[in-house]
Amino acid sequence: MSLLNNLLIDQKKCWFTLKEWEGLFYFDLETGACDCLEDTIVKNTSRNIDTIIKRSNFIFLLPTGKYDVIDVFDIVRKKYIHHIRLNINGNCYFDNAVVRGKYIYLINNWSDNPAIYILNTNKMKICRKIVIDKDLLWKSKKSGRLFSKDIVVNKNILILASAASQYIVRVNLEDYTVEYLNISCNLKGFATMCTNKDEYWLTDEDGLVLRWSMKDAEEFDLKNVVDLNMDLSKEELEYKENSQGYRASYMYFNSTIYLGGKIFWIPGRANILLELDILSKKWSTVCERPKISGYTTWLLYPNLTNEKLYFFF
């Protein structure tokens, strides 16, 4: 199992946190220097950081679980300067966010109380909350992740893909209206999503892909393209069959990324990092996934910076 919980790259610098460790770490990609910027900042609480976001000289550590506080770290002063409480009744799961100007759009991805929180980074406070219709998107009695980790921003529209239904959610970031599109397909929810602006490419946890646009749609199975080894134990298979919704640890692919006319499928349980050239329709294997025993959830960490992809094992 990978120890990395999340990772952020900005030019030659890298910040990350570790599983079951409350420090914020810094790594210089040029010199190889590594340092823990500050150790535990909150005492006697279950604090798990799943995502870190950078804007200007500040790093925002987004919470998961019952700890509903955004911790803000000042890179220049090398200390935490704000702790923004969200007052969420129950668990939260902030595994992604979008930065636009002075605002950060924070997505609470947990099915109990899904919403988008808009953070004004100049005032360091939440200025608006957009509630998501969970009853439309989530039918299970058990709680879980509501959306794919992948999100898309097209001009002023934030696009989310439902993990447990066939809905695409479009959020207007100017007037804050929410539109729910029911996509007719055979996918059991959308585990990953990317777009080249003309078409959307959606993949479910079993490797079934939907290429969708307002004009047409096409489905195909990645298992018919290449050999995707996915070794599950008997216990894991039984849990998968009995569960509802999205289970990251059982997915063939954790994420999809569009870059330069190509789509990259980032492996979860699949054995390869897969690439498709959209124009030529040529498939190729970028590399094989390392063989690591035990769970391999979130094995690869893709980071898109300056038109380059970084993968960390």
Side-chain angles (χ1 to χ4, degrees), residues 133-179:
D133 187 350
K134 68 175 183 179
D135 295 330
L136 181 66
L137 305 177
W138 191 264
K139 304 302 181 183
S140 175
K141 294 181 180 179
K142 297 180 179 180
S143 300
R145 175 182 282 169
L146 188 64
F147 295 110
S148 160
K149 184 177 176 66
D150 295 334
I151 57 178
V152 170
V153 179
N154 189 354
K155 296 181 180 179
N156 65 318
I157 303 297
L158 172 65
I159 303 168
L160 305 169
S162 173
S165 69
Q166 297 173 333
Y167 278 93
I168 297 292
V169 180
R170 293 164 53 90
V171 182
N172 190 307
L173 300 182
E174 292 185 353
D175 62 16
Y176 310 116
T177 56
V178 182
E179 178 185 13

Side-chain angles (χ1 to χ4, degrees), residues 19-251:
K19 290 183 183 295
E20 301 180 1
W21 190 281
E22 299 192 2
L24 175 63
F25 292 82
Y26 165 80
F27 180 73
D28 192 307
L29 295 172
E30 209 165 36
T31 66
C34 186
D35 190 21
C36 180
L37 297 179
E38 188 168 343
D39 211 335
T40 305
I41 64 166
V42 181
K43 303 295 183 182
N44 301 320
T45 185
S46 176
R47 174 177 179 261
N48 183 22
I49 301 302
D50 198 81
T51 300
I52 51 179
I53 300 293
K54 181 177 179 291
R55 183 187 181 275
S56 186
N57 291 322
F58 305 106
I59 291 181
F60 299 82
L61 292 87
L62 310 187
T64 293
K66 294 186 180 299
Y67 182 74
D68 64 343
V69 176
I70 300 171
D71 299 312
V72 186
F73 187 85
D74 188 317
I75 298 172
V76 177
R77 296 159 65 185
K78 294 185 178 181
K79 68 177 184 178
Y80 288 92
I81 58 170
H82 291 287
H83 307 288
I84 305 169
R85 185 167 295 279
L86 299 172
N87 296 315
I88 296 174
N89 184 21
N91 288 327
C92 64
Y93 189 37
F94 290 91
D95 66 344
N96 218 330
V98 173
V99 180
R100 286 169 63 90
K102 65 181 180 181
Y103 297 106
I104 300 179
Y105 298 84
L106 310 160
I107 302 161
N108 184 11
N109 205 355
W110 200 244
S111 60
D112 292 347
N113 38 39
I116 298 173
Y117 294 79
I118 304 177
L119 171 64
N120 185 322
T121 58
N122 287 350
K123 298 181 179 180
M124 291 296 179
K125 69 177 185 178
I126 301 296
C127 60
R128 183 179 291 269
K129 174 183 175 182
I130 304 173
V131 177
I132 302 297
D133 187 350
K134 68 175 183 179
D135 295 330
L136 181 66
L137 305 177
W138 191 264
K139 304 302 181 183
S140 175
K141 294 181 180 179
K142 297 180 179 180
S143 300
R145 175 182 282 169
L146 188 64
F147 295 110
S148 160
K149 184 177 176 66
D150 295 334
I151 57 178
V152 170
V153 179
N154 189 354
K155 296 181 180 179
N156 65 318
I157 303 297
L158 172 65
I159 303 168
L160 305 169
S162 173
S165 69
Q166 297 173 333
Y167 278 93
I168 297 292
V169 180
R170 293 164 53 90
V171 182
N172 190 307
L173 300 182
E174 292 185 353
D175 62 16
Y176 310 116
T177 56
V178 182
E179 178 185 13
Y180 301 88
L181 300 179
N182 192 358
I183 309 299
S184 178
C185 64
N186 293 313
L187 279 68
K188 303 173 184 177
F190 308 122
T192 76
M193 172 182 62
C194 69
T195 179
N196 60 353
K197 296 186 178 179
D198 296 323
E199 300 173 324
Y200 291 88
W201 296 75
L202 303 129
T203 310
D204 72 6
E205 62 179 17
D206 294 319
L208 190 63
V209 177
L210 171 67
R211 179 190 59 79
W212 177 81
S213 70
M214 292 293 187
K215 297 179 181 179
D216 65 348
E218 174 191 10
E219 292 184 20
F220 57 91
D221 195 330
L222 289 176
K223 294 187 290 296
N224 296 330
V225 177
V226 292
D227 178 25
L228 302 176
N229 293 325
M230 183 170 168
D231 185 20
L232 293 181
S233 67
K234 179 181 178 181
E235 292 76 16
E236 289 171 332
L237 284 170
E238 288 176 352
Y239 189 90
K240 176 178 169 57
E241 291 172 357
N242 294 331
S243 65
Q244 295 186 49
Y246 172 91
R247 292 288 300 173
S249 58
Y250 303 123
M251 288 166 25

Side-chain angles (χ1 to χ4, degrees), residues 254-277:
N254 289 332
S255 180
T256 45
I257 298 173
Y258 172 80
L259 180 64
K262 298 179 180 181
I263 296 177
F264 298 87
W265 277 267
I266 314 304
R269 287 280 183 169
N271 61 330
I272 59 173
L273 195 162
L274 191 60
E275 173 190 317
L276 170 65
D277 187 301

